[in-house]
Each structure stands twice: as C-alpha cells, then as structure tokens.
Amino acid sequence: MKPYYDNWRSSSHNKTTCIDCHPYRPSTIIYSAARYLTGSYKLPLKARVEDKECILCHKPETVKVVDFKGTPFNHLEHIKKEKRGKNLHCTSCHYAVVQG
C-alpha cells in the first residue's frame, strides 16, 4: 500500500481521508483483506469511487462549464443525462486524481 499512500499524500486530496471516498462497508473490508492475505489481487490496485461520494464535496451545480481541449464541457449535463447511450461517472474522466 505504500506507493498508493505516497501518491495520496502528494495529491490535492491529501486532507481527505480514505473513508471519505471509500466508505467503510464490512463486506468490502473482508473481501479486500482476504484478497490481500491470499495474494489474489492484481496490480495496479483499482478502487471504485461512487459519484455520490465525489458529489459530497464537489457539488455539480457549483462547477461551471470548463474548457476541455477547446470544447466547452458542462458537468451537470453529463451527470443528469445519458450521452451516446452511456452514463458517465466522475471517475470516467477523473480516474487518476489521487493515484496519478
């Protein structure tokens, strides 16, 4: 876990605790511990962060339209509607905020 901890420590989210984004769920802890103890995990580790956890701090209504490579991007529009048959999630684009 050291490289993941080090990445978090140097990230913009270093004041946010692990359980702020990855809430404690007994089933997840047991499953993760079993995988760790048996060595049945693949690197790099990938943890899922639900949109509802992101939105607790990053309120979509406060995020303005941003420029993405010359194209205006409206976060609210993508959160509320399916686009091209897919629902986007915060981590669809922001997957490497902490782990680079």
Side-chain angles (χ1 to χ4, degrees):
M1 287 301 295
K2 184 167 175 17
Y4 299 96
Y5 175 82
D6 291 344
N7 284 340
W8 164 77
R9 198 78 181 121
S10 63
S11 79
S12 61
H13 284 80
N14 64 10
K15 301 286 188 248
T16 306
T17 68
C18 298
I19 61 171
D20 288 335
C21 299
H22 310 281
Y24 173 78
R25 291 181 184 95
S27 60
T28 304
I29 299 299
I30 292 166
Y31 175 73
S32 297
R35 288 180 60 202
Y36 176 76
L37 292 171
T38 62
S40 61
Y41 57 89
K42 293 180 184 176
L43 295 176
L45 296 176
K46 293 186 180 182
R48 186 175 162 98
V49 177
E50 301 288 335
D51 289 348
K52 65 183 178 182
E53 308 306 335
C54 299
I55 291 170
L56 289 173
C57 297
H58 304 281
K59 305 281 184 225
E61 59 274 6
T62 64
V63 178
K64 297 180 177 154
V65 175
V66 296
D67 178 71
F68 178 72
K69 298 182 180 180
T71 302
F73 184 87
N74 183 335
H75 283 83
L76 267 181
E77 193 175 305
H78 284 78
I79 289 170
K80 293 182 177 182
K81 298 178 191 170
E82 194 175 87
K83 296 289 185 180
R84 294 186 203 118
K86 296 189 181 215
N87 287 316
L88 291 178
H89 300 281
C90 300
T91 55
S92 296
C93 299
H94 303 283
Y95 58 88
V97 170
V98 173
Q99 292 304 322

